[in-house]
Amino acid sequence: MNIIEVDNLVKKFGSFIANDHLTFNVRKGEIFGFLGANGAGKTTAIKILCGLSKPTSGKVMVAGYNVSTHPEEVKSNIGYMSQKFSLYDDLTVVENIRLYGVIYGLSSTEIKERTEILLNRLQLQDARKRLIKTLSLGWKQKLAFSVAILHRPSIVFLDEPTSGVDPITRRQFWEMIYEAANSGITVFVTTHYMDEAEYCNRVTIMADGKIEALDTPANLKKQYGANSMNALFLKLTRKETVGLDN
Amino acid sequence: MKTFIAFVNKESRHIFRDYRTMMVLFLMPVAQILIFGFVISTEIRDASIGILDKSKDDASRRLVQRLSASGYYKVQSVFNYERDIEPAFRRGDIQLAVVIEQGFGNNLRNPDGTAIQLLADASDANTSQMLVNYCSGIIQTFAIEESGIEYAPILTTEVRMLFNPSLKGVYMSIPGTMAMVLILISAMMTSISITREKEFGSMEVLLISPLKPYQIILGKVVPYVVLSMINAISILALGIIVFKMPVLGSWMWLFVLNLLYILLSLALGIFISTVARNQMVAMFASMFALLLPTILLSGFIFPIESMPWPLQWLSRVVPPRYYIQAIKTVMLKGGGLTYMWHELVTMTGFLVLFLSLSIYKFKVRLE
Amino acid sequence: MIEVNQLCKQFGKVKALNGVSIQVNEGELYGLIGPDGAGKTTLFRILISLLLPDSGSARLWGLDPVADFKKVRQIIGYMPGKFSLYEDLSIIENLTFFATVFGTTVEENYYLIEDIFKQIEPFKNRPAGKLSGGMKQKLALSCALIHKPRLLVLDEPTTGVDAVSRQEFWEMLKRLKAQGITILVSTPYMDEAGLCDRVALIQNGKILETNSPEDIIERFNKPVFAVSDNNMYQLLNNCRQYPGVASVYPFGEELHITFSEGSVNPVHLKEFLVSKGIPDANIKQIQPTIEDCFMELST
């Protein structure tokens, strides 16, 4: 079953084509890697999938809703976390959790229950009253991810979630992703770490607004005769990208 | 020198490429002058008044005629009974009521005098005060003429009327607007442009470059001096051409005064940027520490004389106060250095103070 | 050459640097490898005289960044982490500005940046704000190089940049090194360590290890095994349960496993996995990577 269906998506900014006839599906419960060079059109596509931006043409269905006509329904069915912004620095751990719970319409008992589960799982019980800005980046990102799936969305979008995180925490983060995927949440993730691309069930590689390849990491490597994702990536995207930066 | 010119060049490009801000900078003063000049007019013209003439003699009729001929007043209602006056105020028909007591004409030459009662709507205290003042002035002149007896002249608000005989509000608002606009552009824009470099990290590169701190500061300042001068000229031109504002004093002093004030504002801006960590702090600091005092405490809108003494005292440390005073001296009174050396010295003092503080606080390192 | 001795720097309660010592040789491409918040930026800022250390000392070709800060600033080219070109100025305006500010001209040292700059020259009149990440990076490097510095300090030049641009960037650094410029570069990407002559691994304000990447790997004394299977999550959980295991970390399509001392026994692990219903797991001994070393050293 497909949780995301993208059919001939085109997005233009003036004469600049950011997304050029994208067509792909994401299956329910899969970890879907979305790779591409800077300026390849990833951010534009994610904004459309999250209902933040309307496609110029083409049909995009997310969690059973059309993003052009029902963006609000799409938004309440997804979770989102990015490297640039995730949690409010000057609120405490618990305040941040509560805030997101309220935004996504959870009842106060639900919020209380899930807060405790979450804090126990992350072993952050002692840090519950600490301000976010006093946490290390790794902890912050793990917490941000847990908060992004607090309302049990059917899909969670992660935009470079592990950028700059230390190697051990980065792996712990991916274990959390595995766990979420195992519980049925579809994970849509972008990353600049090529080893992380290997953790995905399927990856798509974008270049110049188009999809260059889409398959499992193993199949892609076989198909293009590359021995690592890094080599594959370089092979597919090694041209000077002269687009607008996203 | 070459590096310095390159720096000024770069700054100017930042300014001129941000055309939205440029538009605001040039259009804001124009809009403000027009608003203060036309809309928020504090001068009195054709104010509605009501007359209750209990005397109904020759002299009283001449007085009423004199009032309406002055151009300040328009006789809106003529009452027969005192009880009609209050409802007229409530309806807003009139702003001032003149009650002429019985036997006005006969008693004019009477040593005990005659009585005229002025009733004003004090819910708008400033305007009513002015209405009453004007009216008493007219009545007194009238009484002197009619009776031939010299009264001791009353010198209350006469000083201001002397140099601004028609009490044109716009003469007050042009120096005030200049004070406001110049401090806003100079201080806010420089402090923002310096903190922006801190925020974006380019300050780190400038610091490790052979540029000297004073070159960085001066380079930031020069384009804004030019920009502010252009603005000062455009406001003045508007005041002189559209509102017929006189320039009785020397143009040279007017120029010196503006330049000094602009430099002072820039020094303030630099000082703010050495204290503020980011653009937002710089902006709020300029807003609250500079703009509000300029509007409220400089005598621009509220006369300093009528402030409670703590505020009067506070207004002494508000630089625009001295600028406004000096500008008025030059433009309206035609006074030269003798009449404004005190203001010039004070402003120079402020300039030196803020410059030294900024140089002292400017760091060659981060934190 | 650079000598750093027992540097400490504290911000409030946070010890950004806690006794850091490194040595960089003339003409070396030296990498400072560590995650965000490890203290890389603080160390760089102290070296280039933008911050004062609480204690400890540093020397750059004998110059003290505290006392001789003016001289130190003359010999370095610096590219800060969030650089930060002037986005409203065009490529050529940015370059000319930095050249002039550093008392030189674009023509004088053009040979040094030619390689890099000619790739973006066709767009020289485009504002820097409208460039792609890779192009911005090339421009920033050109600006840092234009006054022909003796030492190039690059703070996380490749963070957030895609793999292609990263690779190109490292190729540029190699060519600069060949010109005799000493390069000090920091990165959170462990795989970039192998591209440096020598590296310092840093975390929480402490140096974990300094050496050439090859020697760091050499000195890693535990055998590392790669385990792979179709269902990674299941494999991971089961390997964790194996009694003799010391660490299990996912590495791309494999798990990297080390055993606790005395129980290095891949055959036994294989039997264990079979008993857990994973019959086809593939186990082989491999050479550790810098990332394996970093994780081992940081725990």
Side-chain angles (χ1 to χ4, degrees):
Chain A
M1 190 199 138
N2 293 327
I3 191 102
I4 298 178
E5 292 184 353
V6 179
D7 188 25
N8 264 313
L9 164 64
V10 176
K11 179 74 182 182
K12 288 184 191 167
F13 297 103
S15 61
F16 178 71
I17 302 171
N19 290 161
D20 190 1
H21 295 90
L22 305 187
T23 300
F24 64 91
N25 298 323
V26 179
R27 300 180 197 126
K28 190 169 168 27
E30 113 177 299
I31 302 173
F32 190 84
F34 201 55
L35 314 181
N38 299 106
K42 283 178 301 178
T43 308
T44 309
I46 290 182
K47 278 190 184 149
I48 292 173
L49 292 176
C50 293
L52 296 176
S53 160
K54 276 192 180 177
T56 309
S57 69
K59 190 179 169 201
V60 179
M61 299 290 288
V62 173
Y65 297 99
N66 189 319
V67 293
S68 309
T69 55
H70 296 84
E72 296 313 313
E73 284 80 357
V74 169
K75 285 181 201 166
S76 59
N77 274 288
I78 62 171
Y80 177 80
M81 169 201 164
S82 89
Q83 168 237 339
K84 290 180 194 100
F85 170 77
S86 42
L87 298 168
Y88 291 94
D89 266 349
D90 43 6
L91 295 184
T92 65
V93 171
V94 174
E95 284 166 350
N96 264 294
I97 301 174
R98 197 185 306 135
L99 175 68
Y100 277 79
V102 171
I103 288 174
Y104 282 98
L106 300 184
S107 73
S108 52
T109 34
E110 277 174 318
I111 294 175
K112 272 193 194 117
E113 267 174 34
R114 293 186 194 181
T115 302
E116 294 315 311
I117 297 173
L118 188 160
L119 291 176
N120 277 330
R121 168 126 18 118
L122 292 176
Q123 295 170 317
L124 272 175
Q125 279 293 5
D126 298 335
R128 56 191 304 145
K129 294 232 167 91
R130 272 172 64 181
L131 294 181
I132 294 297
K133 63 179 162 204
T134 66
L135 298 181
S136 75
L137 178 70
W139 278 113
K140 214 187 282 183
Q141 297 302 77
K142 284 199 276 186
L143 180 62
F145 176 68
S146 310
V147 168
I149 58 171
L150 189 71
H151 60 295
R152 317 229 160 112
S154 36
I155 312 160
V156 62
F157 289 90
L158 309 174
D159 196 1
E160 290 181 36
T162 54
S163 202
V165 174
D166 71 83
I168 294 180
T169 315
R170 205 150 68 77
R171 287 175 171 79
Q172 290 168 347
F173 191 94
W174 271 92
E175 280 178 40
M176 291 175 66
I177 293 182
Y178 277 132
E179 210 177 308
N182 226 34
S183 76
I185 296 178
T186 308
V187 181
F188 190 101
V189 60
T190 73
T191 179
H192 284 313
Y193 292 95
M194 283 305 127
D195 61 322
E196 292 187 346
E198 308 258 16
Y199 304 155
C200 302
N201 298 114
R202 289 193 304 153
V203 296
T204 170
I205 296 177
M206 272 189 81
D208 295 335
K210 296 193 183 81
I211 289 181
E212 289 287 326
L214 198 177
D215 209 329
T216 62
N219 283 348
L220 285 177
K221 280 186 281 184
K222 209 181 295 166
Q223 186 185 341
Y224 291 94
N227 57 0
S228 72
M229 280 311 277
N230 200 38
L232 171 74
F233 186 80
L234 294 180
K235 206 164 197 170
L236 287 176
T237 60
R238 184 133 209 190
K239 4 182 155 154
E240 182 53 23
T241 42
V242 181
L244 290 163
D245 194 25
N246 54 4
Chain B
M1 199 58 204
K2 215 173 131 198
T3 50
F4 179 68
I5 290 170
F7 197 88
V8 173
N9 221 326
K10 169 210 138 217
E11 273 322 301
S12 316
R13 288 200 173 114
H14 287 320
I15 298 170
F16 288 108
R17 292 210 177 143
D18 186 2
Y19 64 93
R20 283 192 203 86
T21 312
M22 282 276 289
M23 292 294 275
V24 173
L25 288 185
F26 282 113
L27 292 181
M28 186 182 68
V30 173
Q32 250 157 1
I33 287 288
L34 295 178
I35 289 169
F36 280 114
F38 284 125
V39 187
I40 312 175
S41 172
T42 49
E43 62 200 89
I44 294 167
R45 197 187 299 139
D46 289 343
S48 306
I49 59 169
I51 306 285
L52 173 56
D53 188 356
K54 293 184 187 168
S55 179
K56 290 201 188 357
D57 54 21
D58 223 29
S60 71
R61 260 179 234 122
R62 277 204 304 278
L63 176 62
V64 173
Q65 208 185 352
R66 173 72 68 91
L67 285 175
S68 46
S70 70
Y72 297 139
Y73 305 104
K74 190 179 70 194
V75 178
Q76 179 74 32
S77 331
V78 175
F79 305 111
N80 290 319
Y81 306 102
E82 269 177 48
R83 63 169 187 267
D84 294 339
I85 297 178
E86 205 185 302
F89 271 118
R90 288 202 187 285
R91 283 194 302 272
D93 288 352
I94 56 167
Q95 290 168 279
L96 181 79
V98 181
V99 182
I100 306 173
E101 292 301 327
Q102 270 178 358
F104 175 75
N106 292 336
N107 290 338
L108 259 177
R109 287 183 187 80
N110 191 320
D112 290 339
T114 180
I116 288 181
Q117 191 186 11
L118 298 179
L119 299 165
D121 180 359
S123 60
D124 183 357
N126 282 339
T127 314
S128 61
Q129 188 64 49
M130 254 195 281
L131 288 170
V132 169
N133 285 344
Y134 281 26
C135 197
S136 345
I138 293 170
I139 293 168
Q140 241 154 48
T141 326
F142 177 79
I144 292 165
E145 285 171 18
E146 291 282 313
S147 61
I149 303 165
E150 284 283 338
Y151 283 72
I154 299 163
L155 296 167
T156 43
T157 53
E158 298 286 305
V159 178
R160 197 182 289 169
M161 286 197 261
L162 248 175
F163 300 110
N164 184 4
S166 52
L167 269 180
K168 284 209 169 174
V170 70
Y171 288 4
M172 303 296 297
S173 42
I174 284 178
T177 312
M178 281 172 70
M180 190 170 83
V181 168
L182 295 182
I183 209 167
L184 191 73
I185 295 173
S186 314
M188 193 191 259
M189 298 306 286
T190 31
S191 63
I192 286 179
S193 89
I194 295 178
T195 43
R196 184 172 49 208
E197 302 236 16
K198 282 196 205 173
E199 220 171 299
F200 285 178
S202 43
M203 191 54 102
E204 288 176 46
V205 179
L206 295 182
L207 280 178
I208 67 155
S209 78
L211 276 174
K212 307 266 183 325
Y214 77 86
Q215 286 179 318
I216 298 180
I217 287 182
L218 277 184
K220 289 270 172 198
V221 159
V222 168
Y224 286 106
V225 172
V226 176
L227 203 64
S228 302
M229 270 321 229
I230 296 175
N231 250 314
I233 290 167
S234 64
I235 300 175
L236 270 177
L238 206 65
I240 292 166
I241 296 164
V242 179
F243 296 104
K244 312 276 183 264
M245 193 159 169
V247 183
L248 302 176
S250 87
W251 288 90
M252 193 266 292
W253 281 117
L254 195 58
F255 177 80
V256 169
L257 203 54
N258 277 306
L259 188 63
L260 182 61
Y261 182 65
I262 288 169
L263 292 177
L264 168 58
S265 306
L266 291 168
L268 265 168
I270 296 163
F271 176 66
I272 289 174
S273 70
T274 58
V275 187
R277 236 178 312 118
N278 54 44
Q279 294 183 70
M280 200 154 80
V281 176
M283 185 153 121
F284 276 102
S286 323
M287 277 292 222
F288 290 107
L290 300 180
L291 195 57
L292 288 182
T294 307
I295 296 175
L296 300 175
L297 292 175
S298 66
F300 169 23
I301 291 184
F302 306 111
I304 295 173
E305 300 79 39
S306 56
M307 288 177 192
W309 70 265
L311 290 184
Q312 285 200 24
W313 187 85
L314 199 61
S315 81
R316 284 172 194 277
V317 294
V318 176
R321 171 194 167 147
Y322 302 98
Y323 170 73
I324 293 178
Q325 262 168 16
I327 279 280
K328 282 191 204 154
T329 305
V330 171
M331 292 184 78
L332 301 178
K333 296 189 199 170
L337 188 58
T338 349
Y339 297 95
M340 58 175 192
W341 66 269
H342 174 247
E343 281 83 7
L344 283 176
V345 168
T346 316
M347 282 165 71
T348 314
F350 274 119
L351 173 61
V352 171
L353 173 73
F354 287 120
L355 265 188
S356 339
L357 270 177
S358 317
I359 290 168
Y360 171 73
K361 295 235 25 160
F362 191 88
K363 300 183 188 83
V364 290
R365 295 190 167 88
L366 305 163
E367 292 321 315
Chain C
M1 57 175 286
I2 304 168
E3 270 176 82
V4 174
N5 213 342
Q6 289 298 320
L7 276 187
C8 290
K9 178 76 184 178
Q10 200 159 344
F11 297 108
K13 280 184 194 163
V14 185
K15 281 188 179 161
L17 292 183
N18 195 358
V20 166
S21 305
I22 58 167
Q23 268 205 3
V24 182
N25 300 323
E26 175 97 52
E28 206 167 31
L29 175 52
Y30 194 93
L32 198 59
I33 318 276
D36 283 12
K40 304 188 296 288
T41 302
T42 308
L43 176 58
F44 280 3
R45 284 181 172 168
I46 290 176
L47 283 180
I48 61 172
S49 81
L50 281 177
L51 278 180
L52 296 174
D54 295 339
S55 65
S57 68
R59 292 285 179 279
L60 290 84
W61 287 271
L63 298 171
D64 178 358
V66 179
D68 315 317
F69 73 93
K70 282 185 181 155
K71 284 181 190 160
V72 165
R73 289 175 186 189
Q74 281 166 12
I75 59 168
I76 40 186
Y78 173 48
M79 191 168 141
K82 47 181 178 177
F83 195 52
S84 179
L85 298 148
Y86 296 107
E87 304 222 323
D88 48 351
L89 299 188
S90 70
I91 289 185
I92 192 72
E93 283 167 349
N94 266 293
L95 188 65
T96 315
F97 172 69
F98 284 104
T100 322
V101 155
F102 281 92
T104 178
T105 59
V106 176
E107 294 75 33
E108 195 176 329
N109 292 319
Y110 188 74
Y111 71 97
L112 204 58
I113 60 161
E114 185 175 11
D115 233 14
I116 305 160
F117 191 69
K118 70 179 181 214
Q119 301 175 48
I120 50 173
E121 207 165 11
F123 317 99
K124 63 181 179 188
N125 292 321
R126 193 185 285 200
K130 294 229 163 117
L131 300 176
S132 73
M135 285 167 76
K136 269 186 195 163
Q137 202 190 27
K138 283 174 191 142
L139 175 57
L141 185 61
S142 305
C143 291
L145 269 174
I146 193 66
H147 61 292
K148 201 181 180 195
R150 194 163 189 186
L151 170 69
L152 191 57
V153 179
L154 310 168
D155 193 5
E156 299 208 13
T158 53
T159 296
V161 176
D162 64 73
V164 183
S165 305
R166 269 162 59 191
Q167 169 139 347
E168 283 177 359
F169 194 80
W170 279 96
E171 285 163 11
M172 292 187 267
L173 293 189
K174 284 245 161 75
R175 287 197 291 270
L176 288 173
K177 187 184 109 94
Q179 307 242 26
I181 297 175
T182 308
I183 303 172
L184 198 52
V185 59
S186 70
T187 176
Y189 298 102
M190 302 288 150
D191 53 347
E192 292 180 347
L195 304 164
C196 305
D197 296 331
R198 289 196 309 134
V199 296
L201 305 183
I202 182 169
Q203 188 166 32
N204 298 326
K206 281 189 176 153
I207 300 286
L208 303 172
E209 170 100 274
T210 68
N211 219 324
S212 71
E214 298 77 26
D215 284 351
I216 288 179
I217 289 168
E218 188 103 340
R219 279 167 49 176
F220 189 82
N221 50 12
K222 289 180 178 174
V224 179
F225 292 86
V227 187
S228 56
D229 189 61
N230 292 331
N231 189 334
M232 286 290 284
Y233 188 55
Q234 198 190 357
L235 183 70
L236 177 72
N237 284 335
N238 281 303
C239 286
R240 284 263 160 82
Q241 285 167 22
Y242 180 73
V245 80
S247 70
V248 183
Y249 294 116
F251 265 80
E253 53 182 349
E254 297 166 335
L255 297 179
H256 285 192
I257 290 180
T258 59
F259 296 95
S260 30
E261 235 168 290
S263 54
V264 182
N265 192 341
V267 181
H268 196 244
L269 173 65
K270 171 83 185 170
E271 286 163 8
F272 175 80
L273 289 176
V274 173
S275 77
K276 290 286 179 179
I278 308 176
D280 300 322
N282 185 6
I283 306 178
K284 60 173 193 267
Q285 185 169 0
I286 53 158
Q287 218 194 23
T289 65
I290 286 284
E291 201 157 1
D292 287 300
C293 304
F294 189 96
M295 289 192 286
E296 177 69 22
L297 290 163
S298 66
T299 44

